[in-house]
Amino acid sequence: MQNSFFKAIENKTGVSMEELFTLANTISSADFSNEDQVRKIVRKVGMVAKKPVSKELEDELTKSILQKGNSLSLTDIEKLL
């Protein structure tokens, strides 16, 4: 893709493409049955999205993700936030 496309996304979201690619790689290789990994991903998504994730919300999201297991997609995570 063109560099201008990525720059437009960065300008609109305030999130660098490097951060998004790192997050996508982390999610694609994650074991969604591992609670520690799931919690780290939930916190990272919150940071990238610039949305605070309270301990209670982290617990709720983690529980929901663990129930879905490996069938979870990035779209599913987006919906949870």
Side-chain angles (χ1 to χ4, degrees):
M1 290 202 188
Q2 293 182 0
N3 196 28
S4 61
F5 174 74
F6 290 125
K7 288 291 182 196
I9 291 173
E10 287 178 1
N11 290 336
K12 184 173 183 172
T13 64
V15 179
S16 74
M17 285 297 103
E18 184 177 320
E19 283 181 287
L20 289 177
F21 287 133
T22 299
L23 180 59
N25 285 333
T26 300
I27 290 171
S28 69
S29 64
D31 175 6
F32 287 104
S33 63
N34 180 308
E35 184 174 345
D36 289 334
Q37 282 189 18
V38 171
R39 286 185 182 279
K40 286 178 186 175
I41 289 171
V42 166
R43 288 190 294 267
K44 182 66 175 171
V45 169
M47 286 176 29
V48 169
K50 296 180 176 119
K51 292 190 176 188
V53 179
S54 67
K55 177 66 173 146
E56 293 79 20
L57 180 57
E58 180 183 317
D59 290 344
E60 184 179 326
L61 292 171
T62 299
K63 180 181 175 186
S64 180
I65 292 168
L66 288 171
Q67 288 174 348
K68 288 193 174 223
N70 287 327
S71 66
L72 189 69
S73 70
L74 184 55
T75 303
D76 294 329
I77 294 172
E78 261 184 323
K79 289 177 185 175
L80 293 172
L81 291 175

